[in-house]
Amino acid sequence: MSAIAVPQMVWEPSAADLSAGRCPLWWTVGPSGALAVLFVDRRHLRQVPYIKGWVGLIPEVPFGGVLVIRNTDGSVQRRTIESLPMGTSHIALLPNDRILIVGGRADRDDTGAWTPNALVLSPDGEQQNTFCIGDDIDVLVTDQSGAIWAAYGDEGIYGGHPQSAAGLAGWTDRGRVAWAPKGRLPEWPLAGCAAATEDDQVWLAWYSNAGADGTFLTRISPLTGEMTSWRSPVPSPDGLAVRGDRAVLTRRNHNEQSTEVFRAVLVGDSWIVTERHKTAVPGRVVLRCGQGRDGHLWLRAGDVWLRIEA
């Protein structure tokens, strides 16, 4: 077994982006491997005192921004997005160059109906559709078909929304429920940890209140709805990427410029850690720092994006 790979730097904002007074906030990697980062003018942001790093920067609503997309060939696109009407926690790329903007929380209106917290934008920035995809979204990823996959936090699981209550859910890009676990999970979820895709399969890492062994990796085959769950070899990972019977996982050192990187293999019915390595990274690692695509784990450290191969 070879030694674990050192994270390789892939991208960081240009001097022009940063000098324009914009701050890189929400980010995602598309199914094809394109990195997308939404920049917002610092003048419209306030820092939540008890949340460190970029995740604690909250924009005034409505707000606009610039979406910077780093393609797999190294070319960079920039799209202006105007007047987003809601708070944002996640972004994702959809087929046909569309963009998904998602707020982590959902509210009820006066009739008790859940109000929209997801917005689909056309390549030109026009609003195409709005819908609700559950409350208290910890983890979100899109797959090749444009389906949306989410893992929820405890306030959503116990907050009354029927899909959030199941802990994991799949949605169409029009806001219809495409998949639900239907009681087949090994434990009742409490929160989401990380997400990845591998070809046409989706992986969600989540944990329950079942103690130290309560973190699980669930693989979903969207075409059939088939689901398989294993105990995670790493408690509460914040990054996951899978390639066949190999996986790489990360677990951040809270607010430090370092992270733990684990390599694991599937042996029989169990994932086994084969390598563990603490590595320094260019910036502070905070919440929502990892996303896996086809055996590559993308890791955000400060305002630098790294990649680790499984």
Side-chain angles (χ1 to χ4, degrees), residues 20-185:
R22 293 189 290 261
C23 180
L25 296 184
W26 312 283
W27 68 281
T28 188
V29 178
S32 66
L35 170 67
V37 184
L38 183 55
F39 286 72
V40 177
D41 194 314
R42 291 183 181 274
R43 293 175 299 175
H44 305 310
L45 300 174
R46 63 179 177 86
Q47 180 79 50
V48 177
Y50 54 87
I51 302 179
K52 302 292 186 180
W54 68 270
V55 290
L57 291 169
I58 308 299
E60 301 171 0
V61 177
F63 68 96
V66 175
L67 186 73
V68 178
I69 301 176
R70 189 263 188 192
N71 298 305
T72 54
D73 63 2
S75 63
V76 175
Q77 297 175 274
R78 287 173 172 80
R79 300 185 196 172
T80 300
I81 298 177
E82 298 181 355
S83 194
L84 290 174
M86 62 187 189
T88 303
S89 296
H90 308 273
I91 67 171
L93 298 181
L94 294 170
N96 302 317
D97 294 326
R98 295 171 300 154
I99 304 159
L100 176 70
I101 308 291
V102 175
R105 302 306 306 266
D107 297 315
R108 294 177 186 263
D109 62 20
D110 293 339
T111 69
W114 293 95
T115 57
N117 64 345
L119 170 66
V120 177
L121 300 178
S122 73
D124 296 328
E126 297 294 326
Q127 297 185 19
Q128 292 187 329
N129 203 4
T130 61
F131 45 86
C132 180
I133 58 170
D135 184 30
D136 195 15
I137 302 167
D138 280 343
V139 174
L140 183 139
V141 70
T142 51
D143 66 18
Q144 295 173 343
S145 72
I148 306 160
W149 300 87
Y152 299 92
D154 59 347
E155 293 186 43
I157 291 169
Y158 294 101
H161 191 283
Q163 276 66 53
S164 299
L168 312 178
W171 302 82
T172 71
D173 59 3
R174 293 183 176 272
R176 294 190 292 269
V177 178
W179 180 88
K182 298 180 180 178
R184 295 174 292 167
L185 295 171

Side-chain angles (χ1 to χ4, degrees), residues 207-220:
Y207 69 85
S208 71
N209 58 2
D213 295 329
T215 304
F216 295 87
L217 307 181
T218 294
R219 182 186 67 196
I220 304 157

Side-chain angles (χ1 to χ4, degrees), residues 2 15 63 109 173 180 227-228 307:
S2 60
F63 68 96
D109 62 20
D173 59 3
M227 178 188 74
T228 306
R307 192 167 59 197

